[in-house]
Coordinates of all heavy atoms in Angstrom, one line a residue:
I65 N 110.1 104.5 91.3 CA 108.8 104.4 91.9 C 108.8 104.1 93.4 O 109.5 103.1 93.7 CB 107.8 103.4 91.2 CG1 107.7 103.8 89.7 CG2 106.5 103.3 91.8 CD1 107.0 102.8 88.8
Y66 N 108.3 104.9 94.2 CA 108.3 104.6 95.7 C 106.9 104.3 96.1 O 106.0 105.1 96.0 CB 108.8 105.8 96.4 CG 108.8 105.7 97.9 CD1 110.0 105.1 98.5 CD2 107.8 106.0 98.7 CE1 110.0 104.9 99.9 CE2 107.9 105.8 100.1 CZ 109.0 105.3 100.7 OH 109.0 105.1 102.0
L67 N 106.7 103.1 96.5 CA 105.4 102.6 97.0 C 105.3 102.8 98.5 O 106.2 102.6 99.3 CB 105.2 101.1 96.8 CG 105.3 100.6 95.3 CD1 105.1 99.2 95.2 CD2 104.3 101.3 94.4
D68 N 104.1 103.5 98.9 CA 103.9 103.8 100.3 C 102.4 103.5 100.6 O 101.6 103.3 99.8 CB 104.2 105.2 100.5 CG 104.5 105.5 102.0 OD1 104.5 104.6 102.8 OD2 104.6 106.7 102.3
A69 N 102.1 103.3 101.9 CA 100.8 103.1 102.4 C 100.8 103.6 103.8 O 101.8 103.5 104.5 CB 100.3 101.7 102.3
H70 N 99.7 104.1 104.2 CA 99.5 104.5 105.6 C 99.9 103.4 106.7 O 99.5 102.3 106.3 CB 98.1 105.1 105.9 CG 98.0 105.8 107.2 ND1 97.7 105.2 108.4 CD2 98.1 107.1 107.5 CE1 97.6 106.1 109.3 NE2 97.9 107.2 108.8
P71 N 100.5 103.6 107.7 CA 100.9 102.6 108.7 C 99.6 101.8 109.1 O 99.8 100.5 109.3 CB 101.5 103.3 109.9 CG 102.0 104.6 109.3 CD 101.1 105.0 108.2
S72 N 98.5 102.4 109.3 CA 97.3 101.5 109.7 C 96.9 100.6 108.6 O 96.4 99.5 109.0 CB 96.1 102.4 110.1 OG 95.7 103.2 109.0
V73 N 97.0 101.0 107.3 CA 96.7 100.1 106.3 C 97.7 99.0 106.2 O 97.4 97.8 106.0 CB 96.6 100.9 104.9 CG1 96.5 99.9 103.7 CG2 95.5 101.9 105.0
R74 N 99.0 99.3 106.4 CA 100.1 98.2 106.3 C 99.9 97.3 107.4 O 100.0 96.0 107.3 CB 101.5 99.0 106.3 CG 101.7 99.6 105.0 CD 102.8 100.6 105.0 NE 104.0 100.2 105.7 CZ 104.8 101.0 106.4 NH1 104.5 102.3 106.5 NH2 105.8 100.6 107.0
A75 N 99.5 97.7 108.6 CA 99.3 96.9 109.7 C 98.1 96.0 109.5 O 98.2 94.8 109.8 CB 99.0 97.7 111.0
R76 N 97.0 96.5 108.9 CA 95.9 95.7 108.7 C 96.2 94.6 107.6 O 95.8 93.5 107.7 CB 94.7 96.6 108.2 CG 93.4 95.8 108.0 CD 92.2 96.6 107.7 NE 92.4 97.4 106.4 CZ 92.5 98.7 106.3 NH1 92.5 99.5 107.4 NH2 92.7 99.3 105.2
R77 N 96.9 94.9 106.6 CA 97.3 94.0 105.6 C 98.2 92.9 106.2 O 97.9 91.7 106.0 CB 98.2 94.7 104.5 CG 97.3 95.6 103.6 CD 98.2 96.4 102.6 NE 97.5 97.3 101.8 CZ 98.0 98.2 101.0 NH1 99.3 98.4 101.0 NH2 97.2 99.0 100.3
R78 N 99.1 93.2 107.1 CA 100.0 92.2 107.7 C 99.1 91.3 108.7 O 99.2 90.1 108.8 CB 101.1 92.8 108.5 CG 102.0 91.7 109.0 CD 103.4 92.3 109.5 NE 104.0 93.0 108.4 CZ 104.9 94.1 108.5 NH1 105.2 94.4 109.7 NH2 105.4 94.7 107.4
F79 N 98.2 92.0 109.4 CA 97.3 91.3 110.4 C 96.4 90.2 109.6 O 96.3 89.1 110.0 CB 96.4 92.3 111.1 CG 95.5 91.6 112.2 CD1 96.1 91.4 113.4 CD2 94.2 91.4 111.9 CE1 95.3 90.8 114.4 CE2 93.4 90.9 112.9 CZ 94.0 90.6 114.2
V80 N 95.9 90.6 108.5 CA 95.0 89.8 107.7 C 95.9 88.6 107.1 O 95.4 87.4 107.0 CB 94.4 90.5 106.5 CG1 93.7 89.6 105.5 CG2 93.4 91.5 107.1
Q81 N 97.2 88.8 106.8 CA 98.0 87.7 106.3 C 98.2 86.6 107.4 O 98.4 85.5 107.1 CB 99.4 88.2 106.0 CG 99.4 89.0 104.7 CD 100.8 89.6 104.5 OE1 101.6 89.7 105.4 NE2 101.1 89.9 103.3
G82 N 98.0 87.0 108.7 CA 98.1 86.0 109.7 C 99.6 85.5 110.0 O 99.8 84.4 110.6
T83 N 100.5 86.4 109.7 CA 101.9 85.9 109.9 C 102.5 86.4 111.2 O 103.8 86.2 111.4 CB 102.8 86.5 108.7 OG1 102.7 87.9 108.6 CG2 102.3 85.9 107.3
S84 N 101.8 87.0 112.0 CA 102.3 87.6 113.2 C 101.2 87.2 114.4 O 100.1 87.2 114.1 CB 102.5 89.1 113.2 OG 102.9 89.6 114.4
A85 N 101.8 87.1 115.5 CA 100.9 86.9 116.7 C 100.6 88.1 117.4 O 99.8 88.2 118.3 CB 101.6 85.9 117.8
M86 N 101.0 89.3 116.8 CA 100.8 90.6 117.4 C 99.2 91.1 117.1 O 98.8 90.6 116.1 CB 101.7 91.7 116.9 CG 103.1 91.6 117.4 SD 104.1 93.0 116.9 CE 105.2 92.3 115.7
S87 N 98.8 91.9 117.9 CA 97.5 92.5 117.7 C 97.6 93.5 116.6 O 98.7 93.9 116.3 CB 96.9 93.2 118.9 OG 97.6 94.3 119.2
L88 N 96.5 94.0 116.1 CA 96.5 95.0 115.0 C 97.1 96.3 115.5 O 98.0 96.9 114.8 CB 95.1 95.3 114.5 CG 94.9 96.3 113.4 CD1 95.6 95.9 112.2 CD2 93.4 96.4 113.1
A89 N 96.9 96.6 116.7 CA 97.5 97.8 117.4 C 98.9 97.7 117.5 O 99.7 98.7 117.3 CB 96.8 98.2 118.7
E90 N 99.4 96.5 117.9 CA 100.8 96.2 118.1 C 101.5 96.3 116.8 O 102.6 96.9 116.7 CB 101.0 94.9 118.8 CG 100.6 94.9 120.3 CD 100.6 93.4 120.9 OE1 100.3 92.5 120.1 OE2 101.0 93.4 122.0
L91 N 101.0 95.7 115.8 CA 101.5 95.8 114.4 C 101.7 97.2 113.9 O 102.8 97.6 113.4 CB 100.7 95.1 113.5 CG 100.8 93.5 113.5 CD1 99.8 92.9 112.7 CD2 102.2 93.0 113.1
E92 N 100.7 98.0 114.1 CA 100.8 99.4 113.6 C 101.8 100.2 114.5 O 102.6 100.9 113.8 CB 99.4 100.1 113.8 CG 99.4 101.6 113.3 CD 98.1 102.2 113.3 OE1 97.1 101.6 113.6 OE2 98.0 103.4 112.9
Q93 N 101.9 100.0 115.7 CA 102.9 100.6 116.5 C 104.3 100.2 116.1 O 105.2 101.1 115.9 CB 102.7 100.3 118.0 CG 103.7 101.1 118.8 CD 103.6 102.6 118.9 OE1 102.5 103.1 118.7 NE2 104.7 103.3 118.9
T94 N 104.5 99.0 115.8 CA 105.8 98.4 115.4 C 106.2 99.0 114.0 O 107.3 99.3 113.8 CB 105.7 96.9 115.4 OG1 105.4 96.3 116.7 CG2 107.1 96.3 114.8
I95 N 105.2 99.1 113.1 CA 105.5 99.6 111.8 C 105.9 101.1 111.9 O 106.8 101.6 111.3 CB 104.3 99.4 110.9 CG1 104.1 97.9 110.5 CG2 104.3 100.4 109.6 CD1 102.9 97.6 109.8
M96 N 105.2 101.8 112.7 CA 105.5 103.3 112.9 C 106.9 103.5 113.5 O 107.6 104.3 113.1 CB 104.4 104.0 113.7 CG 103.1 104.1 113.0 SD 101.9 105.2 113.8 CE 101.7 104.4 115.4
E97 N 107.3 102.6 114.5 CA 108.5 102.7 115.1 C 109.6 102.4 114.1 O 110.7 103.0 114.0 CB 108.6 101.8 116.3 CG 107.8 102.2 117.5 CD 107.6 101.2 118.6 OE1 108.1 100.1 118.4 OE2 107.0 101.5 119.6
R98 N 109.5 101.3 113.3 CA 110.4 101.0 112.3 C 110.6 102.0 111.3 O 111.6 102.4 110.8 CB 110.0 99.6 111.6 CG 111.1 99.1 110.6 CD 110.7 98.0 109.8 NE 109.7 98.4 108.9 CZ 108.7 97.7 108.4 NH1 108.5 96.5 108.8 NH2 107.8 98.2 107.6
D99 N 109.5 102.7 110.9 CA 109.5 103.7 109.8 C 110.3 104.8 110.3 O 111.2 105.4 109.7 CB 108.1 104.2 109.5 CG 107.4 103.3 108.5 OD1 108.0 102.3 108.1 OD2 106.2 103.5 108.3
N100 N 110.1 105.2 111.7 CA 110.8 106.3 112.2 C 112.4 106.0 112.3 O 113.1 106.9 112.0 CB 110.3 106.6 113.6 CG 110.9 107.8 114.2 OD1 111.0 108.8 113.7 ND2 111.4 107.6 115.5
R101 N 112.7 104.8 112.7 CA 114.1 104.3 112.8 C 114.7 104.5 111.3 O 115.8 105.0 111.2 CB 114.3 102.9 113.2 CG 114.3 102.8 114.8 CD 114.7 101.4 115.2 NE 114.1 100.3 114.5 CZ 113.0 99.8 114.8 NH1 112.3 100.2 115.8 NH2 112.5 98.8 114.1
D102 N 114.0 103.9 110.4 CA 114.5 103.9 109.0 C 114.7 105.3 108.5 O 115.7 105.5 107.7 CB 113.6 103.0 108.1 CG 113.6 101.6 108.4 OD1 114.5 101.1 109.1 OD2 112.8 100.9 107.8
R103 N 113.9 106.2 108.7 CA 114.0 107.5 108.2 C 115.0 108.4 108.9 O 115.5 109.5 108.4 CB 112.6 108.2 108.3 CG 111.7 107.7 107.2 CD 110.4 108.5 107.2 NE 109.5 108.0 106.2 CZ 108.4 107.3 106.4 NH1 107.9 107.0 107.7 NH2 107.7 106.8 105.5
N104 N 115.4 108.0 110.1 CA 116.3 108.8 111.0 C 117.6 108.2 111.3 O 118.3 108.7 112.2 CB 115.5 109.2 112.3 CG 114.4 110.1 111.9 OD1 114.5 111.2 111.4 ND2 113.1 109.6 112.2
K105 N 118.0 107.1 110.7 CA 119.4 106.5 110.9 C 120.4 107.5 110.4 O 120.2 108.3 109.4 CB 119.5 105.3 110.0 CG 118.6 104.1 110.6 CD 119.0 102.8 109.9 CE 118.3 102.7 108.6 NZ 118.5 101.3 108.0
V106 N 121.5 107.5 111.1 CA 122.6 108.4 110.6 C 123.2 108.0 109.3 O 123.4 108.8 108.5 CB 123.8 108.3 111.7 CG1 125.0 109.1 111.3 CG2 123.3 108.8 113.1
E107 N 123.3 106.7 109.1 CA 123.8 106.2 107.8 C 122.8 105.2 107.2 O 122.2 104.4 107.9 CB 125.1 105.4 107.9 CG 126.3 106.4 108.3 CD 127.6 105.6 108.3 OE1 127.8 104.7 107.4 OE2 128.4 106.0 109.1
G108 N 122.6 105.4 106.0 CA 121.6 104.4 105.3 C 120.1 104.7 105.5 O 119.3 103.8 105.4
S109 N 119.9 105.9 105.9 CA 118.4 106.2 106.2 C 117.6 106.2 105.0 O 118.1 106.4 103.8 CB 118.2 107.6 106.9 OG 118.7 108.6 106.1
L110 N 116.3 106.0 105.1 CA 115.3 105.9 104.0 C 115.1 107.4 103.5 O 114.6 108.2 104.3 CB 114.0 105.3 104.4 CG 113.0 105.2 103.4 CD1 113.4 104.4 102.2 CD2 111.7 104.6 103.9
K111 N 115.5 107.6 102.3 CA 115.2 108.9 101.7 C 114.5 108.7 100.4 O 115.0 107.9 99.6 CB 116.5 109.7 101.5 CG 117.3 110.0 102.8 CD 116.6 111.0 103.6 CE 117.5 111.2 104.8 NZ 116.8 111.7 106.0
I112 N 113.5 109.4 100.1 CA 112.8 109.3 98.8 C 113.5 110.2 97.8 O 113.6 111.4 98.1 CB 111.3 109.6 98.9 CG1 110.7 108.7 100.0 CG2 110.6 109.5 97.6 CD1 109.3 109.1 100.4
S113 N 113.9 109.7 96.7 CA 114.6 110.5 95.7 C 113.7 111.6 95.2 O 112.4 111.4 95.1 CB 115.0 109.6 94.5 OG 115.5 110.3 93.4
D114 N 114.2 112.7 94.8 CA 113.5 113.8 94.3 C 112.8 113.4 92.9 O 111.8 113.9 92.5 CB 114.3 115.1 94.1 CG 114.7 115.7 95.4 OD1 114.1 115.5 96.4 OD2 115.7 116.4 95.4
E115 N 113.5 112.5 92.2 CA 113.0 112.0 90.9 C 111.9 110.9 91.1 O 111.4 110.5 90.1 CB 114.2 111.5 90.1 CG 115.1 112.6 89.7 CD 116.3 112.7 90.8 OE1 116.6 111.8 91.5 OE2 116.8 113.9 90.8
A116 N 111.7 110.4 92.3 CA 110.8 109.3 92.4 C 109.4 109.7 92.3 O 109.0 110.8 92.7 CB 111.0 108.6 93.8
V117 N 108.6 108.8 91.7 CA 107.1 109.0 91.7 C 106.6 108.2 92.9 O 106.9 107.1 93.0 CB 106.5 108.4 90.4 CG1 105.0 108.5 90.5 CG2 107.0 109.2 89.2
V118 N 106.0 109.0 93.8 CA 105.5 108.4 95.0 C 104.0 107.9 94.7 O 103.2 108.6 94.3 CB 105.5 109.4 96.2 CG1 104.9 108.7 97.5 CG2 106.9 109.8 96.5
L119 N 103.8 106.6 95.0 CA 102.5 106.0 94.8 C 102.0 105.5 96.1 O 102.5 104.5 96.7 CB 102.6 104.9 93.8 CG 101.4 104.1 93.4 CD1 100.3 105.0 92.9 CD2 101.6 103.0 92.5
D120 N 100.9 106.2 96.6 CA 100.3 105.8 97.8 C 99.3 104.7 97.5 O 98.3 104.9 96.8 CB 99.6 107.0 98.5 CG 98.9 106.7 99.8 OD1 98.9 105.5 100.2 OD2 98.5 107.6 100.5
T121 N 99.5 103.5 98.1 CA 98.8 102.3 97.8 C 97.7 102.0 98.8 O 97.1 101.0 98.8 CB 99.7 101.1 97.6 OG1 100.3 100.8 98.9 CG2 100.8 101.3 96.6
S122 N 97.5 103.0 99.8 CA 96.6 102.8 100.8 C 95.2 102.3 100.5 O 94.6 101.5 101.1 CB 96.5 104.1 101.7 OG 97.7 104.4 102.3
T123 N 94.8 102.8 99.4 CA 93.4 102.5 99.0 C 93.3 101.7 97.7 O 92.2 101.5 97.1 CB 92.5 103.8 98.8 OG1 93.1 104.6 97.7 CG2 92.5 104.7 100.0
L124 N 94.4 101.2 97.3 CA 94.5 100.4 96.1 C 94.6 98.9 96.3 O 95.3 98.4 97.2 CB 95.7 100.8 95.3 CG 95.8 102.3 94.8 CD1 97.1 102.6 94.1 CD2 94.7 102.7 94.1
T125 N 94.0 98.1 95.5 CA 94.1 96.6 95.4 C 95.5 96.4 94.8 O 96.1 97.2 94.0 CB 93.0 96.0 94.7 OG1 93.1 96.4 93.2 CG2 91.6 96.3 95.1
L126 N 95.9 95.1 94.9 CA 97.2 94.7 94.3 C 97.1 94.9 92.8 O 98.0 95.4 92.1 CB 97.5 93.3 94.6 CG 98.8 92.7 94.1 CD1 100.0 93.6 94.4 CD2 99.0 91.3 94.5
D127 N 96.0 94.5 92.2 CA 95.8 94.7 90.7 C 95.9 96.1 90.3 O 96.5 96.4 89.3 CB 94.4 94.1 90.3 CG 94.4 92.6 90.3 OD1 95.5 92.0 90.3 OD2 93.2 92.1 90.3
K128 N 95.4 97.0 91.1 CA 95.4 98.5 90.8 C 96.8 99.0 90.9 O 97.3 99.8 90.1 CB 94.5 99.3 91.7 CG 93.0 99.2 91.3 CD 92.9 99.9 89.9 CE 91.4 99.9 89.5 NZ 91.2 100.4 88.1
V129 N 97.6 98.5 91.9 CA 99.0 99.0 92.1 C 99.8 98.5 90.8 O 100.5 99.3 90.2 CB 99.5 98.3 93.4 CG1 101.1 98.6 93.4 CG2 98.9 98.9 94.5
C130 N 99.6 97.2 90.4 CA 100.2 96.7 89.3 C 99.9 97.6 88.0 O 100.8 97.9 87.2 CB 100.0 95.3 89.0 SG 100.6 94.2 90.3
E131 N 98.6 97.9 87.9 CA 98.1 98.7 86.8 C 98.8 100.1 86.7 O 99.3 100.5 85.7 CB 96.7 98.9 86.9 CG 96.0 99.6 85.7 CD 94.5 99.7 86.0 OE1 93.9 98.7 86.2 OE2 94.0 100.8 85.8
K132 N 98.9 100.7 87.9 CA 99.5 102.0 87.9 C 101.0 102.0 87.7 O 101.6 102.8 87.0 CB 99.2 102.7 89.3 CG 97.7 103.1 89.3 CD 97.4 103.9 90.7 CE 96.0 104.4 90.7 NZ 95.8 105.5 89.8
V133 N 101.7 101.0 88.3 CA 103.1 100.9 88.1 C 103.4 100.6 86.7 O 104.3 101.2 86.0 CB 103.7 99.8 89.0 CG1 105.1 99.4 88.6 CG2 103.6 100.2 90.5
S134 N 102.6 99.7 86.0 CA 102.8 99.4 84.6 C 102.6 100.7 83.7 O 103.4 101.0 82.8 CB 101.8 98.4 84.1 OG 102.1 97.1 84.7
G135 N 101.6 101.5 84.1 CA 101.3 102.7 83.4 C 102.5 103.6 83.5 O 102.9 104.3 82.5
L136 N 103.0 103.8 84.7 CA 104.2 104.7 85.0 C 105.4 104.2 84.1 O 106.1 105.0 83.6 CB 104.6 104.8 86.4 CG 103.5 105.5 87.2 CD1 103.8 105.3 88.7 CD2 103.6 107.0 87.0
I137 N 105.6 103.0 84.1 CA 106.8 102.4 83.4 C 106.6 102.8 81.9 O 107.5 103.2 81.2 CB 106.9 100.9 83.6 CG1 107.4 100.6 85.1 CG2 107.9 100.3 82.7 CD1 107.4 99.2 85.5
K138 N 105.4 102.5 81.4 CA 105.2 102.8 80.0 C 105.4 104.3 79.7 O 105.9 104.6 78.6 CB 103.8 102.3 79.6 CG 103.6 100.8 79.5 CD 102.2 100.4 79.2 CE 102.1 98.9 79.3 NZ 100.7 98.4 79.2
T139 N 105.0 105.1 80.6 CA 105.2 106.5 80.4 C 106.7 106.9 80.3 O 107.0 107.8 79.5 CB 104.5 107.3 81.5 OG1 103.2 107.0 81.6 CG2 104.7 108.8 81.4
Y140 N 107.4 106.3 81.0 CA 108.9 106.6 81.0 C 109.7 105.9 79.9 O 110.8 106.2 79.6 CB 109.5 106.3 82.4 CG 109.2 107.3 83.4 CD1 108.1 107.2 84.3 CD2 109.8 108.5 83.5 CE1 107.7 108.1 85.2 CE2 109.5 109.5 84.4 CZ 108.4 109.2 85.3 OH 108.0 110.2 86.2
L141 N 109.1 104.9 79.3 CA 109.8 104.2 78.2 C 109.5 104.9 77.0 O 109.8 105.2 76.1 CB 109.3 102.7 78.1 CG 109.6 101.9 79.3 CD1 109.1 100.4 79.0 CD2 111.2 101.7 79.4

């Protein structure tokens, strides 16, 4: 299972946590830059397996994410 969310959503989540002194715009830019680096590294780049189920959590609450992941696990068991 590969969990993903739009960079703007991830930035907003981190901003609300209050763990960074960066602005919302700075957080989003930083996340997009990190994603780009992670996907384009020569070695150890982030690649989503062809067998992975991609779950976009952009519009989901934590409870809904847990519910969906649990359902996927039960399906594969």
Side-chain angles (χ1 to χ4, degrees):
I65 299 170
Y66 180 85
L67 301 178
D68 201 6
H70 192 274
S72 64
V73 173
R74 291 166 39 216
R76 186 174 59 251
R77 290 172 180 168
R78 187 166 305 154
F79 185 77
V80 169
Q81 287 176 336
T83 58
S84 175
M86 286 189 250
S87 70
L88 183 57
E90 290 170 324
L91 283 169
E92 184 174 355
Q93 184 63 37
T94 300
I95 287 170
M96 290 188 304
E97 289 170 357
R98 187 189 67 211
D99 286 353
N100 186 51
R101 277 193 314 273
D102 288 349
R103 288 184 177 111
N104 294 297
K105 289 190 276 190
V106 174
E107 290 187 33
S109 63
L110 176 63
K111 301 288 184 205
I112 302 170
S113 169
D114 291 338
E115 293 87 27
V117 174
V118 178
L119 179 57
D120 184 347
T121 67
S122 296
T123 62
L124 303 176
T125 64
L126 181 56
D127 286 340
K128 282 292 184 188
V129 171
C130 291
E131 182 182 310
K132 287 188 176 286
V133 168
S134 293
L136 288 167
I137 291 169
K138 288 174 185 174
T139 298
Y140 284 95
L141 294 178

